[in-house]
Amino acid sequence: MQEKPLMEHSARPVEGSFTIETEPDAARAVLVGTLGLHEFPDFHRALSEVAPDHGLVFDLSGTTQIDTSIAWAIATAQKARAEDGRRAEIVGASRDIGQILDTVTEALPAPEARAKAPGALIAILAGLGQQVVGVRLAMTEFSGVLGLFLSRLAQIIARPRAFRLTALTHHCETVGLQAVPIVSLMAFLIGVVLAFQGSAQLRQFGAEVFVVDLIAISILRELGILLTAIIVAGRTASAFTAAIGSMKMREEIDAMRTLGIDPGHALIVPRVLALILMLPILGLIANLAGLFGGALMSWIELGISPAMFMTRLVEGTDVANVFVGLVKAPVFALLIGVIGCQAGLAVGKTAESLGRMTSSAVVAAIFAVILADALFSIFFQQIGL
């Protein structure tokens, strides 16, 4: 059968040219002269126009020289045909041209093997394992920051002159005094809600007077300090993370170390210690505000006068309830402060990392507070307190 030319491209005849002819099941590319980067666009386009089901034969018997661009076009076309099971061969290449083709072919990137997608059960187990490892790493980091705080606190006790009283005062104002309005309002509304809902239920049994016991035990033993700690966790843990994280992003912590300033003394101890000192005070304020709200709603809803409310409160409420509530405060404060500082120290170099760690600190602090409260409840129940 007589060969019919499919197309013919010529570029810079003085330097070189090529033709591509077709047969029933193959195409033949004949290269003549010296071909380089000037001929590459036309040559590459011509190869791409060859039907995919056609084999390729490159006739280089009339070629004197090619550069790596032409060699790359030949090598990629040959590789694509070989992967599809089509014929792709080179004939008539001189030794020098063959070496160029071999070098370019060896340099072609190997395709990445696609990993087999895991099954649904494997994916679930893998995700669970990653979460367990993440929790373990978080606990390890928490233990490290907690140990750093305790060691620096011991050094301060041994050398009181190293204590930063100004920083402690500033953080006491930030985490304590500035939080009084929101804590008081929250506790007041909780007392109002407890009195209103309790009166609605106890009225059915003619036991309205016991609403005082309900309010007192709920607020003094559990809700007062728990909700205060949750508010402080959302407000203060995020503030600690943002402040320390911003300093780390700006490399201020590295600068402090360069100047001989210990970040544990300057950043962690004042913040955590201020929280330990102020959270019991905030809890006491929340208890008073909650009792006031409950007394006000009891007076309005049930007609229980403030004097009667106070008498019933003193007679029916054990002081141990106040102790049980307030003894949790330092532990909650330690958890919130250490988690906030740990998240701040874990911030990377980007703003996205700062936002992610701030959110993570709030969630982790609230979860830790609720978990610790549950453990305290079980403990006090076991010892009969």
Side-chain angles (χ1 to χ4, degrees), residues 130-148 150 334-335 338-339 341-343 346 357 360 363-365 367-369 371-372 375:
Q130 290 178 353
Q131 292 180 0
V132 171
V133 172
V135 171
R136 182 184 66 82
L137 293 176
M139 292 298 296
T140 302
E141 294 175 359
F142 175 84
S143 301
V145 178
L146 178 61
L148 178 63
L150 294 177
L334 183 64
L335 291 173
V338 172
I339 289 174
C341 294
Q342 169 201 342
M357 295 308 301
S360 175
V363 174
F367 176 78
V369 166
L371 179 61
L375 295 177

PDB file of all heavy atoms in Angstrom, residues 130-148 150 334-335 338-339 341-343 346 357 360 363-365 367-369 371-372 375:
ATOM      1  N   GLN A 130      -5.622   7.737  65.368  1.00  0.00           N
ATOM      2  CA  GLN A 130      -5.023   9.076  65.291  1.00  0.00           C
ATOM      3  C   GLN A 130      -5.508   9.960  66.434  1.00  0.00           C
ATOM      4  O   GLN A 130      -4.736  10.736  67.004  1.00  0.00           O
ATOM      5  CB  GLN A 130      -5.347   9.702  63.946  1.00  0.00           C
ATOM      6  CG  GLN A 130      -4.630   9.046  62.773  1.00  0.00           C
ATOM      7  CD  GLN A 130      -5.014   9.656  61.445  1.00  0.00           C
ATOM      8  OE1 GLN A 130      -5.921  10.496  61.373  1.00  0.00           O
ATOM      9  NE2 GLN A 130      -4.353   9.238  60.374  1.00  0.00           N
ATOM     10  N   GLN A 131      -6.780   9.844  66.771  1.00  0.00           N
ATOM     11  CA  GLN A 131      -7.302  10.641  67.874  1.00  0.00           C
ATOM     12  C   GLN A 131      -6.684  10.227  69.210  1.00  0.00           C
ATOM     13  O   GLN A 131      -6.368  11.082  70.054  1.00  0.00           O
ATOM     14  CB  GLN A 131      -8.824  10.512  67.934  1.00  0.00           C
ATOM     15  CG  GLN A 131      -9.539  11.146  66.752  1.00  0.00           C
ATOM     16  CD  GLN A 131     -11.037  10.994  66.843  1.00  0.00           C
ATOM     17  OE1 GLN A 131     -11.566  10.407  67.792  1.00  0.00           O
ATOM     18  NE2 GLN A 131     -11.747  11.503  65.851  1.00  0.00           N
ATOM     19  N   VAL A 132      -6.501   8.919  69.393  1.00  0.00           N
ATOM     20  CA  VAL A 132      -5.874   8.448  70.633  1.00  0.00           C
ATOM     21  C   VAL A 132      -4.438   8.958  70.735  1.00  0.00           C
ATOM     22  O   VAL A 132      -3.997   9.423  71.792  1.00  0.00           O
ATOM     23  CB  VAL A 132      -5.916   6.907  70.690  1.00  0.00           C
ATOM     24  CG1 VAL A 132      -5.082   6.387  71.864  1.00  0.00           C
ATOM     25  CG2 VAL A 132      -7.359   6.418  70.809  1.00  0.00           C
ATOM     26  N   VAL A 133      -3.716   8.885  69.623  1.00  0.00           N
ATOM     27  CA  VAL A 133      -2.338   9.392  69.618  1.00  0.00           C
ATOM     28  C   VAL A 133      -2.330  10.896  69.875  1.00  0.00           C
ATOM     29  O   VAL A 133      -1.476  11.411  70.614  1.00  0.00           O
ATOM     30  CB  VAL A 133      -1.661   9.061  68.277  1.00  0.00           C
ATOM     31  CG1 VAL A 133      -0.300   9.750  68.177  1.00  0.00           C
ATOM     32  CG2 VAL A 133      -1.490   7.556  68.132  1.00  0.00           C
ATOM     33  N   GLY A 134      -3.285  11.619  69.276  1.00  0.00           N
ATOM     34  CA  GLY A 134      -3.365  13.058  69.509  1.00  0.00           C
ATOM     35  C   GLY A 134      -3.629  13.388  70.968  1.00  0.00           C
ATOM     36  O   GLY A 134      -3.038  14.323  71.527  1.00  0.00           O
ATOM     37  N   VAL A 135      -4.524  12.625  71.611  1.00  0.00           N
ATOM     38  CA  VAL A 135      -4.802  12.845  73.036  1.00  0.00           C
ATOM     39  C   VAL A 135      -3.555  12.562  73.872  1.00  0.00           C
ATOM     40  O   VAL A 135      -3.234  13.300  74.815  1.00  0.00           O
ATOM     41  CB  VAL A 135      -5.977  11.961  73.483  1.00  0.00           C
ATOM     42  CG1 VAL A 135      -6.138  12.007  75.006  1.00  0.00           C
ATOM     43  CG2 VAL A 135      -7.271  12.413  72.815  1.00  0.00           C
ATOM     44  N   ARG A 136      -2.847  11.494  73.516  1.00  0.00           N
ATOM     45  CA  ARG A 136      -1.618  11.174  74.263  1.00  0.00           C
ATOM     46  C   ARG A 136      -0.578  12.287  74.129  1.00  0.00           C
ATOM     47  O   ARG A 136       0.055  12.681  75.118  1.00  0.00           O
ATOM     48  CB  ARG A 136      -1.044   9.855  73.763  1.00  0.00           C
ATOM     49  CG  ARG A 136       0.208   9.404  74.511  1.00  0.00           C
ATOM     50  CD  ARG A 136       0.783   8.137  73.919  1.00  0.00           C
ATOM     51  NE  ARG A 136       1.279   8.354  72.572  1.00  0.00           N
ATOM     52  CZ  ARG A 136       2.479   8.868  72.287  1.00  0.00           C
ATOM     53  NH1 ARG A 136       3.285   9.235  73.277  1.00  0.00           N
ATOM     54  NH2 ARG A 136       2.864   9.022  71.043  1.00  0.00           N
ATOM     55  N   LEU A 137      -0.412  12.806  72.918  1.00  0.00           N
ATOM     56  CA  LEU A 137       0.546  13.897  72.725  1.00  0.00           C
ATOM     57  C   LEU A 137       0.114  15.144  73.481  1.00  0.00           C
ATOM     58  O   LEU A 137       0.949  15.844  74.076  1.00  0.00           O
ATOM     59  CB  LEU A 137       0.674  14.204  71.227  1.00  0.00           C
ATOM     60  CG  LEU A 137       1.324  13.098  70.373  1.00  0.00           C
ATOM     61  CD1 LEU A 137       1.306  13.496  68.901  1.00  0.00           C
ATOM     62  CD2 LEU A 137       2.741  12.820  70.825  1.00  0.00           C
ATOM     63  N   ALA A 138      -1.203  15.428  73.468  1.00  0.00           N
ATOM     64  CA  ALA A 138      -1.706  16.597  74.201  1.00  0.00           C
ATOM     65  C   ALA A 138      -1.474  16.435  75.702  1.00  0.00           C
ATOM     66  O   ALA A 138      -1.090  17.401  76.386  1.00  0.00           O
ATOM     67  CB  ALA A 138      -3.186  16.803  73.896  1.00  0.00           C
ATOM     68  N   MET A 139      -1.684  15.229  76.225  1.00  0.00           N
ATOM     69  CA  MET A 139      -1.443  14.997  77.650  1.00  0.00           C
ATOM     70  C   MET A 139       0.041  15.136  77.981  1.00  0.00           C
ATOM     71  O   MET A 139       0.407  15.650  79.042  1.00  0.00           O
ATOM     72  CB  MET A 139      -1.940  13.603  78.030  1.00  0.00           C
ATOM     73  CG  MET A 139      -3.452  13.447  77.969  1.00  0.00           C
ATOM     74  SD  MET A 139      -4.297  14.549  79.135  1.00  0.00           S
ATOM     75  CE  MET A 139      -3.701  13.907  80.695  1.00  0.00           C
ATOM     76  N   THR A 140       0.894  14.687  77.059  1.00  0.00           N
ATOM     77  CA  THR A 140       2.336  14.832  77.283  1.00  0.00           C
ATOM     78  C   THR A 140       2.736  16.303  77.319  1.00  0.00           C
ATOM     79  O   THR A 140       3.508  16.733  78.197  1.00  0.00           O
ATOM     80  CB  THR A 140       3.111  14.097  76.176  1.00  0.00           C
ATOM     81  OG1 THR A 140       2.733  12.722  76.159  1.00  0.00           O
ATOM     82  CG2 THR A 140       4.607  14.201  76.417  1.00  0.00           C
ATOM     83  N   GLU A 141       2.211  17.087  76.377  1.00  0.00           N
ATOM     84  CA  GLU A 141       2.518  18.517  76.364  1.00  0.00           C
ATOM     85  C   GLU A 141       1.956  19.205  77.608  1.00  0.00           C
ATOM     86  O   GLU A 141       2.596  20.094  78.191  1.00  0.00           O
ATOM     87  CB  GLU A 141       1.951  19.149  75.104  1.00  0.00           C
ATOM     88  CG  GLU A 141       2.614  18.656  73.815  1.00  0.00           C
ATOM     89  CD  GLU A 141       1.947  19.218  72.584  1.00  0.00           C
ATOM     90  OE1 GLU A 141       0.951  19.972  72.745  1.00  0.00           O
ATOM     91  OE2 GLU A 141       2.398  18.914  71.458  1.00  0.00           O
ATOM     92  N   PHE A 142       0.744  18.814  78.017  1.00  0.00           N
ATOM     93  CA  PHE A 142       0.150  19.383  79.227  1.00  0.00           C
ATOM     94  C   PHE A 142       1.018  19.089  80.439  1.00  0.00           C
ATOM     95  O   PHE A 142       1.273  19.975  81.273  1.00  0.00           O
ATOM     96  CB  PHE A 142      -1.255  18.814  79.420  1.00  0.00           C
ATOM     97  CG  PHE A 142      -1.911  19.232  80.707  1.00  0.00           C
ATOM     98  CD1 PHE A 142      -2.579  20.447  80.789  1.00  0.00           C
ATOM     99  CD2 PHE A 142      -1.861  18.429  81.835  1.00  0.00           C
ATOM    100  CE1 PHE A 142      -3.185  20.843  81.979  1.00  0.00           C
ATOM    101  CE2 PHE A 142      -2.458  18.813  83.016  1.00  0.00           C
ATOM    102  CZ  PHE A 142      -3.126  20.029  83.091  1.00  0.00           C
ATOM    103  N   SER A 143       1.492  17.857  80.544  1.00  0.00           N
ATOM    104  CA  SER A 143       2.357  17.498  81.680  1.00  0.00           C
ATOM    105  C   SER A 143       3.649  18.302  81.661  1.00  0.00           C
ATOM    106  O   SER A 143       4.149  18.709  82.718  1.00  0.00           O
ATOM    107  CB  SER A 143       2.667  16.000  81.631  1.00  0.00           C
ATOM    108  OG  SER A 143       1.482  15.229  81.679  1.00  0.00           O
ATOM    109  N   GLY A 144       4.173  18.555  80.454  1.00  0.00           N
ATOM    110  CA  GLY A 144       5.394  19.346  80.352  1.00  0.00           C
ATOM    111  C   GLY A 144       5.210  20.772  80.836  1.00  0.00           C
ATOM    112  O   GLY A 144       6.030  21.308  81.596  1.00  0.00           O
ATOM    113  N   VAL A 145       4.121  21.423  80.407  1.00  0.00           N
ATOM    114  CA  VAL A 145       3.869  22.801  80.833  1.00  0.00           C
ATOM    115  C   VAL A 145       3.539  22.850  82.320  1.00  0.00           C
ATOM    116  O   VAL A 145       3.949  23.778  83.034  1.00  0.00           O
ATOM    117  CB  VAL A 145       2.730  23.420  79.986  1.00  0.00           C
ATOM    118  CG1 VAL A 145       2.416  24.834  80.453  1.00  0.00           C
ATOM    119  CG2 VAL A 145       3.126  23.438  78.513  1.00  0.00           C
ATOM    120  N   LEU A 146       2.777  21.861  82.810  1.00  0.00           N
ATOM    121  CA  LEU A 146       2.477  21.806  84.246  1.00  0.00           C
ATOM    122  C   LEU A 146       3.755  21.652  85.060  1.00  0.00           C
ATOM    123  O   LEU A 146       3.939  22.329  86.090  1.00  0.00           O
ATOM    124  CB  LEU A 146       1.516  20.647  84.527  1.00  0.00           C
ATOM    125  CG  LEU A 146       1.147  20.415  85.997  1.00  0.00           C
ATOM    126  CD1 LEU A 146       0.455  21.647  86.574  1.00  0.00           C
ATOM    127  CD2 LEU A 146       0.261  19.179  86.140  1.00  0.00           C
ATOM    128  N   GLY A 147       4.641  20.763  84.615  1.00  0.00           N
ATOM    129  CA  GLY A 147       5.917  20.612  85.313  1.00  0.00           C
ATOM    130  C   GLY A 147       6.753  21.881  85.265  1.00  0.00           C
ATOM    131  O   GLY A 147       7.414  22.237  86.252  1.00  0.00           O
ATOM    132  N   LEU A 148       6.709  22.587  84.105  1.00  0.00           N
ATOM    133  CA  LEU A 148       7.438  23.849  84.000  1.00  0.00           C
ATOM    134  C   LEU A 148       6.899  24.873  84.993  1.00  0.00           C
ATOM    135  O   LEU A 148       7.674  25.566  85.668  1.00  0.00           O
ATOM    136  CB  LEU A 148       7.317  24.385  82.569  1.00  0.00           C
ATOM    137  CG  LEU A 148       7.978  25.726  82.281  1.00  0.00           C
ATOM    138  CD1 LEU A 148       9.487  25.639  82.481  1.00  0.00           C
ATOM    139  CD2 LEU A 148       7.651  26.196  80.863  1.00  0.00           C
ATOM    140  N   LEU A 150       5.278  24.281  87.867  1.00  0.00           N
ATOM    141  CA  LEU A 150       5.587  23.891  89.244  1.00  0.00           C
ATOM    142  C   LEU A 150       7.060  24.113  89.570  1.00  0.00           C
ATOM    143  O   LEU A 150       7.401  24.562  90.678  1.00  0.00           O
ATOM    144  CB  LEU A 150       5.204  22.429  89.460  1.00  0.00           C
ATOM    145  CG  LEU A 150       3.701  22.108  89.372  1.00  0.00           C
ATOM    146  CD1 LEU A 150       3.463  20.616  89.527  1.00  0.00           C
ATOM    147  CD2 LEU A 150       2.914  22.891  90.411  1.00  0.00           C
ATOM    148  N   LEU A 334      -5.988  25.837  87.668  1.00  0.00           N
ATOM    149  CA  LEU A 334      -4.725  25.250  87.202  1.00  0.00           C
ATOM    150  C   LEU A 334      -4.909  24.617  85.826  1.00  0.00           C
ATOM    151  O   LEU A 334      -4.068  24.793  84.929  1.00  0.00           O
ATOM    152  CB  LEU A 334      -4.241  24.215  88.216  1.00  0.00           C
ATOM    153  CG  LEU A 334      -2.888  23.564  87.923  1.00  0.00           C
ATOM    154  CD1 LEU A 334      -1.772  24.605  87.966  1.00  0.00           C
ATOM    155  CD2 LEU A 334      -2.605  22.447  88.920  1.00  0.00           C
ATOM    156  N   LEU A 335      -6.016  23.900  85.643  1.00  0.00           N
ATOM    157  CA  LEU A 335      -6.272  23.271  84.342  1.00  0.00           C
ATOM    158  C   LEU A 335      -6.425  24.319  83.244  1.00  0.00           C
ATOM    159  O   LEU A 335      -5.829  24.207  82.166  1.00  0.00           O
ATOM    160  CB  LEU A 335      -7.532  22.408  84.427  1.00  0.00           C
ATOM    161  CG  LEU A 335      -7.449  21.141  85.291  1.00  0.00           C
ATOM    162  CD1 LEU A 335      -8.809  20.490  85.402  1.00  0.00           C
ATOM    163  CD2 LEU A 335      -6.441  20.172  84.714  1.00  0.00           C
ATOM    164  N   VAL A 338      -2.933  26.245  82.580  1.00  0.00           N
ATOM    165  CA  VAL A 338      -1.903  25.443  81.929  1.00  0.00           C
ATOM    166  C   VAL A 338      -2.303  25.120  80.490  1.00  0.00           C
ATOM    167  O   VAL A 338      -1.475  25.171  79.572  1.00  0.00           O
ATOM    168  CB  VAL A 338      -1.651  24.151  82.737  1.00  0.00           C
ATOM    169  CG1 VAL A 338      -0.733  23.207  81.962  1.00  0.00           C
ATOM    170  CG2 VAL A 338      -1.028  24.496  84.079  1.00  0.00           C
ATOM    171  N   ILE A 339      -3.577  24.797  80.261  1.00  0.00           N
ATOM    172  CA  ILE A 339      -4.028  24.499  78.897  1.00  0.00           C
ATOM    173  C   ILE A 339      -3.893  25.733  78.005  1.00  0.00           C
ATOM    174  O   ILE A 339      -3.459  25.639  76.851  1.00  0.00           O
ATOM    175  CB  ILE A 339      -5.482  23.985  78.918  1.00  0.00           C
ATOM    176  CG1 ILE A 339      -5.532  22.586  79.525  1.00  0.00           C
ATOM    177  CG2 ILE A 339      -6.085  23.975  77.513  1.00  0.00           C
ATOM    178  CD1 ILE A 339      -6.926  22.038  79.719  1.00  0.00           C
ATOM    179  N   CYS A 341      -1.767  28.294  78.351  1.00  0.00           N
ATOM    180  CA  CYS A 341      -0.346  28.545  78.088  1.00  0.00           C
ATOM    181  C   CYS A 341       0.241  27.487  77.155  1.00  0.00           C
ATOM    182  O   CYS A 341       1.051  27.806  76.275  1.00  0.00           O
ATOM    183  CB  CYS A 341       0.421  28.575  79.404  1.00  0.00           C
ATOM    184  SG  CYS A 341      -0.004  29.954  80.489  1.00  0.00           S
ATOM    185  N   GLN A 342      -0.165  26.234  77.342  1.00  0.00           N
ATOM    186  CA  GLN A 342       0.328  25.167  76.466  1.00  0.00           C
ATOM    187  C   GLN A 342      -0.075  25.420  75.021  1.00  0.00           C
ATOM    188  O   GLN A 342       0.738  25.274  74.099  1.00  0.00           O
ATOM    189  CB  GLN A 342      -0.244  23.832  76.928  1.00  0.00           C
ATOM    190  CG  GLN A 342      -0.028  22.690  75.944  1.00  0.00           C
ATOM    191  CD  GLN A 342      -1.006  21.553  76.148  1.00  0.00           C
ATOM    192  OE1 GLN A 342      -1.626  21.437  77.196  1.00  0.00           O
ATOM    193  NE2 GLN A 342      -1.162  20.718  75.136  1.00  0.00           N
ATOM    194  N   ALA A 343      -1.324  25.802  74.794  1.00  0.00           N
ATOM    195  CA  ALA A 343      -1.778  26.081  73.425  1.00  0.00           C
ATOM    196  C   ALA A 343      -1.025  27.271  72.839  1.00  0.00           C
ATOM    197  O   ALA A 343      -0.701  27.284  71.643  1.00  0.00           O
ATOM    198  CB  ALA A 343      -3.282  26.334  73.416  1.00  0.00           C
ATOM    199  N   ALA A 346       2.298  26.249  71.616  1.00  0.00           N
ATOM    200  CA  ALA A 346       2.223  25.347  70.459  1.00  0.00           C
ATOM    201  C   ALA A 346       1.871  26.067  69.168  1.00  0.00           C
ATOM    202  O   ALA A 346       1.797  25.428  68.115  1.00  0.00           O
ATOM    203  CB  ALA A 346       1.198  24.246  70.723  1.00  0.00           C
ATOM    204  N   MET A 357      -5.290  27.107  67.384  1.00  0.00           N
ATOM    205  CA  MET A 357      -4.898  26.774  68.748  1.00  0.00           C
ATOM    206  C   MET A 357      -5.745  27.517  69.773  1.00  0.00           C
ATOM    207  O   MET A 357      -6.005  26.997  70.868  1.00  0.00           O
ATOM    208  CB  MET A 357      -3.409  27.092  68.955  1.00  0.00           C
ATOM    209  CG  MET A 357      -2.466  26.247  68.126  1.00  0.00           C
ATOM    210  SD  MET A 357      -2.759  24.462  68.288  1.00  0.00           S
ATOM    211  CE  MET A 357      -2.528  24.227  70.044  1.00  0.00           C
ATOM    212  N   SER A 360      -8.887  25.526  69.963  1.00  0.00           N
ATOM    213  CA  SER A 360      -8.580  24.258  70.620  1.00  0.00           C
ATOM    214  C   SER A 360      -8.406  24.443  72.122  1.00  0.00           C
ATOM    215  O   SER A 360      -8.838  23.588  72.909  1.00  0.00           O
ATOM    216  CB  SER A 360      -7.311  23.659  70.004  1.00  0.00           C
ATOM    217  OG  SER A 360      -6.920  22.501  70.692  1.00  0.00           O
ATOM    218  N   VAL A 363     -11.907  24.779  73.825  1.00  0.00           N
ATOM    219  CA  VAL A 363     -12.602  23.485  73.882  1.00  0.00           C
ATOM    220  C   VAL A 363     -11.949  22.567  74.916  1.00  0.00           C
ATOM    221  O   VAL A 363     -12.640  21.926  75.724  1.00  0.00           O
ATOM    222  CB  VAL A 363     -12.614  22.829  72.490  1.00  0.00           C
ATOM    223  CG1 VAL A 363     -13.192  21.427  72.559  1.00  0.00           C
ATOM    224  CG2 VAL A 363     -13.412  23.673  71.509  1.00  0.00           C
ATOM    225  N   ALA A 364     -10.623  22.483  74.880  1.00  0.00           N
ATOM    226  CA  ALA A 364      -9.914  21.592  75.803  1.00  0.00           C
ATOM    227  C   ALA A 364     -10.091  22.041  77.249  1.00  0.00           C
ATOM    228  O   ALA A 364     -10.272  21.209  78.153  1.00  0.00           O
ATOM    229  CB  ALA A 364      -8.433  21.546  75.447  1.00  0.00           C
ATOM    230  N   ALA A 365     -10.063  23.354  77.491  1.00  0.00           N
ATOM    231  CA  ALA A 365     -10.210  23.852  78.863  1.00  0.00           C
ATOM    232  C   ALA A 365     -11.612  23.566  79.401  1.00  0.00           C
ATOM    233  O   ALA A 365     -11.774  23.134  80.552  1.00  0.00           O
ATOM    234  CB  ALA A 365      -9.909  25.348  78.902  1.00  0.00           C
ATOM    235  N   PHE A 367     -13.685  21.216  78.398  1.00  0.00           N
ATOM    236  CA  PHE A 367     -13.804  19.769  78.590  1.00  0.00           C
ATOM    237  C   PHE A 367     -13.083  19.331  79.864  1.00  0.00           C
ATOM    238  O   PHE A 367     -13.596  18.505  80.632  1.00  0.00           O
ATOM    239  CB  PHE A 367     -13.225  19.037  77.380  1.00  0.00           C
ATOM    240  CG  PHE A 367     -13.214  17.545  77.528  1.00  0.00           C
ATOM    241  CD1 PHE A 367     -14.372  16.813  77.345  1.00  0.00           C
ATOM    242  CD2 PHE A 367     -12.040  16.877  77.860  1.00  0.00           C
ATOM    243  CE1 PHE A 367     -14.361  15.423  77.491  1.00  0.00           C
ATOM    244  CE2 PHE A 367     -12.025  15.497  78.010  1.00  0.00           C
ATOM    245  CZ  PHE A 367     -13.189  14.772  77.826  1.00  0.00           C
ATOM    246  N   ALA A 368     -11.889  19.859  80.098  1.00  0.00           N
ATOM    247  CA  ALA A 368     -11.130  19.483  81.292  1.00  0.00           C
ATOM    248  C   ALA A 368     -11.865  19.904  82.559  1.00  0.00           C
ATOM    249  O   ALA A 368     -11.879  19.165  83.558  1.00  0.00           O
ATOM    250  CB  ALA A 368      -9.740  20.120  81.240  1.00  0.00           C
ATOM    251  N   VAL A 369     -12.483  21.078  82.551  1.00  0.00           N
ATOM    252  CA  VAL A 369     -13.229  21.553  83.723  1.00  0.00           C
ATOM    253  C   VAL A 369     -14.416  20.641  84.012  1.00  0.00           C
ATOM    254  O   VAL A 369     -14.664  20.247  85.162  1.00  0.00           O
ATOM    255  CB  VAL A 369     -13.677  23.004  83.493  1.00  0.00           C
ATOM    256  CG1 VAL A 369     -14.742  23.408  84.513  1.00  0.00           C
ATOM    257  CG2 VAL A 369     -12.490  23.955  83.593  1.00  0.00           C
ATOM    258  N   LEU A 371     -14.849  17.507  83.063  1.00  0.00           N
ATOM    259  CA  LEU A 371     -14.357  16.194  83.485  1.00  0.00           C
ATOM    260  C   LEU A 371     -13.878  16.225  84.933  1.00  0.00           C
ATOM    261  O   LEU A 371     -14.188  15.308  85.723  1.00  0.00           O
ATOM    262  CB  LEU A 371     -13.221  15.755  82.557  1.00  0.00           C
ATOM    263  CG  LEU A 371     -12.570  14.410  82.880  1.00  0.00           C
ATOM    264  CD1 LEU A 371     -13.583  13.287  82.787  1.00  0.00           C
ATOM    265  CD2 LEU A 371     -11.388  14.141  81.943  1.00  0.00           C
ATOM    266  N   ALA A 372     -13.150  17.265  85.293  1.00  0.00           N
ATOM    267  CA  ALA A 372     -12.676  17.381  86.676  1.00  0.00           C
ATOM    268  C   ALA A 372     -13.846  17.526  87.643  1.00  0.00           C
ATOM    269  O   ALA A 372     -13.833  16.949  88.743  1.00  0.00           O
ATOM    270  CB  ALA A 372     -11.730  18.573  86.801  1.00  0.00           C
ATOM    271  N   LEU A 375     -15.324  14.115  88.243  1.00  0.00           N
ATOM    272  CA  LEU A 375     -14.481  13.326  89.137  1.00  0.00           C
ATOM    273  C   LEU A 375     -14.606  13.806  90.581  1.00  0.00           C
ATOM    274  O   LEU A 375     -14.627  12.980  91.520  1.00  0.00           O
ATOM    275  CB  LEU A 375     -13.023  13.395  88.669  1.00  0.00           C
ATOM    276  CG  LEU A 375     -12.740  12.770  87.298  1.00  0.00           C
ATOM    277  CD1 LEU A 375     -11.277  12.965  86.922  1.00  0.00           C
ATOM    278  CD2 LEU A 375     -13.082  11.291  87.295  1.00  0.00           C
TER     279      LEU A 375
END
